[in-house]
Amino acid sequence: MQRTLFNEDHAAFRESAKAFVERTITPNVEKFIEQRVIDRDVWLEAGRQGLLGLEIPEEYGGSGANDYRFNTVFAEELCRVNAAVASSLGIHGDVVAPYLVDLCTEEQKQRWLPGMCTGEIKTGIAMTEPSGGSDLAALKTNAVRDGDDWILNGSKTFITNGYTADMIVVAARTDPSKGSRGISLFAVETGMPGFERGRKLDKVGQHPSDTAELFFSDVRLPAANLIGEEGQGFIYMMERLPQERIGAAISNLAHAQGIFDETLEYVKERKAFGQAIGKFQHNKFLLSELRTKLDVTQAFVDTLTMQHVRGELSPVEAAQAKYWSADIENEVIDACVQLHGGYGYMTEYRVARAWMDARVTKIWAGSNEIMKELIGRELGL
């Protein structure tokens, strides 16, 4: 399908992003899967190529692109090789960066943003808790004032980049009496006494992306580590979740597109009963349906991406894109596994790993059921 989202600048950037991926990611994916983490050298190289600061102004070392279509291009190129690498780098540059750019003081920006751009400071964001899941308003991690400092206690789980991040944005309750209005955001940095990480979590998929539990036991945070205003954390998260969700939709779709393209080539070469398996009517019809669903979803996601570029994307539209793209991604990749036959169940085949990687997209960034709840409320239900 011809896409009208991009211009010549985006096309040139895509070539640069593709070259980075082919040079730095593709040859090392197997290693990243085995060790359950992406080498820091990848982050440093991405920094040298100007790929980590797309959301960050030039005065702090970023690209200052101010055009989400560049984020889209980078995510698509990463996802065509490995969805977990896209997730790890995306949390850093696509999710955390806007919090710091929008909410931090000048001193805080000087402390963190240049290192984020170079890859020397790797970041994550800690919202989810063991007991809360998608219910961010119910979080139990708390921070209590002690003079000018804050004392942080609690735990987080399923945190992408959690095992290796140098700085993590943590949501904590600072006023239990105010419900969602009593949540604040803090920067917790490696080496702070009382901050500990659990093991790398043993996930079904997304293996190159390190994911961990985080534990906070009387962690003393200086006032300079409060991000934004006290009590505004829930609002800050709600304001920025649409970007996280449209980013998830972009990645979901690019991941599915890549696996579909590989499978299409496979069914043209693989033979059974004297002909290519793609020639069988059932398979031909199935692939025709999948191609159409991908193109229709691409048009929808591209439209919403442009709305986001213009600052017009609503939370409900982002929820629609997130849940629908995750469902389509899983449907497409599951069908591609079936088309590969027994080989589709072998982890040395990328389609099998993609199948495992895709399943979490119905869960993270707000489960698909929560997305439908948001949409239903908009319908007045």
Side-chain angles (χ1 to χ4, degrees), residues 27-238:
N28 296 304
V29 166
E30 299 297 332
K31 180 174 71 166
F32 301 157
I33 290 172
E34 183 177 348
Q35 66 192 21
R36 300 302 200 259
V37 69
I38 302 162
D39 289 343
R40 182 60 70 113
D41 287 349
V42 170
W43 293 81
L44 297 174
E45 179 60 21
R48 285 190 287 269
Q49 298 300 316
L51 298 170
L52 297 180
L54 299 175
E55 293 275 306
I56 298 173
E58 292 182 32
E59 58 262 38
Y60 305 108
S63 304
N66 293 320
D67 181 345
Y68 195 74
R69 288 173 290 181
F70 288 102
N71 302 50
T72 299
V73 167
F74 189 38
E76 288 179 347
E77 291 306 315
L78 288 170
C79 280
R80 284 185 171 273
V81 174
N82 186 271
V85 174
S87 169
S88 187
L89 293 173
I91 286 289
H92 174 88
D94 204 51
V95 177
V96 176
Y99 282 88
L100 304 188
V101 171
D102 297 343
L103 305 174
C104 279
T105 65
E106 182 62 26
E107 183 275 334
Q108 290 172 325
K109 291 177 182 179
Q110 294 290 349
R111 282 168 63 191
W112 297 315
L113 293 181
M116 283 187 70
C117 294
T118 63
E120 294 170 290
I121 295 177
K122 181 179 177 181
T123 63
I125 188 164
M127 300 181 188
T128 307
E129 297 187 351
S131 61
S134 296
D135 188 0
L136 296 180
L139 60 84
K140 296 179 179 178
T141 297
N142 66 89
V144 179
R145 280 190 181 276
D146 183 33
D148 291 334
D149 296 342
W150 294 86
I151 305 300
L152 180 68
N153 283 281
S155 63
K156 301 288 183 178
T157 194
F158 310 138
I159 307 306
T160 301
N161 297 340
Y163 195 78
T164 56
D166 304 291
M167 189 274 276
I168 298 174
V169 176
V170 177
R173 190 169 298 283
T174 49
D175 190 338
S177 69
K178 292 185 178 179
S180 63
R181 298 281 179 169
I183 295 171
S184 303
L185 302 180
F186 297 90
V188 177
E189 298 172 270
T190 294
M192 286 182 161
F195 170 38
E196 297 183 2
R197 312 167 203 253
R199 59 185 172 81
K200 296 176 196 171
L201 295 176
D202 188 14
K203 300 171 293 184
V204 170
Q206 298 272 339
H207 292 141
S209 171
D210 64 285
T211 307
E213 292 180 304
L214 308 177
F215 303 98
F216 314 103
S217 180
D218 293 329
V219 179
R220 181 171 292 276
L221 299 171
N225 279 43
L226 174 68
I227 295 176
E229 296 181 20
E230 178 185 345
Q232 297 298 301
F234 186 78
I235 294 173
Y236 295 149
M237 289 187 287
M238 293 303 101

